[in-house]
Amino acid sequence: MASSAPPSSSAAGAQNPSKKSLLNFLANPMKRKDSFIQFFAMTGILLLSVRSLGQKYRLNDLQEDTSALREEQKGLENRMKHIKSSLLAEAAAPRSPPVPLLPG
């Protein structure tokens, strides 16, 4: 009988410190509610600032990519115009008679 009593009391003792620490954990912010709210507000502002900074750098990168793509597009357009003009010039050139193939 004596052996059954200590395990139950030790089990209850093991639960009490966790409940007590949980109550202390919740009671502490309730005492300092204003500072706790201020802490969360400042944390939110900090996170928004970091996100805005990340978006700013991403926007700058996208603008650089856009300008690089525009330059590449202009280069491709110039190349297409050159190829087209050379093909038209080749088509407009007088044709020489066909060269006979050697039998053989």
Side-chain angles (χ1 to χ4, degrees), residues 27-100:
N28 225 1
M30 293 306 276
K31 289 179 190 175
R32 299 176 180 92
K33 188 190 297 187
D34 294 336
S35 62
F36 213 67
I37 291 171
Q38 183 180 10
F39 171 73
F40 279 120
M42 294 303 288
T43 303
I45 291 170
L46 177 68
L47 291 175
L48 286 175
S49 298
V50 169
R51 188 177 85 176
S52 294
L53 190 62
Q55 288 175 346
K56 175 184 170 185
Y57 286 120
R58 181 177 165 94
L59 193 63
N60 287 339
D61 290 343
L62 289 174
Q63 287 173 345
E64 290 174 5
D65 290 348
T66 301
S67 64
L69 286 172
R70 284 194 177 132
E71 289 178 16
E72 186 177 350
Q73 182 184 13
K74 286 178 185 177
L76 288 173
E77 287 174 353
N78 289 337
R79 185 174 174 203
M80 285 174 37
K81 286 178 186 177
H82 177 68
I83 291 172
K84 184 178 179 180
S85 64
S86 65
L87 286 174
L88 288 174
E90 189 178 321
R95 294 192 175 184
S96 60
V99 178

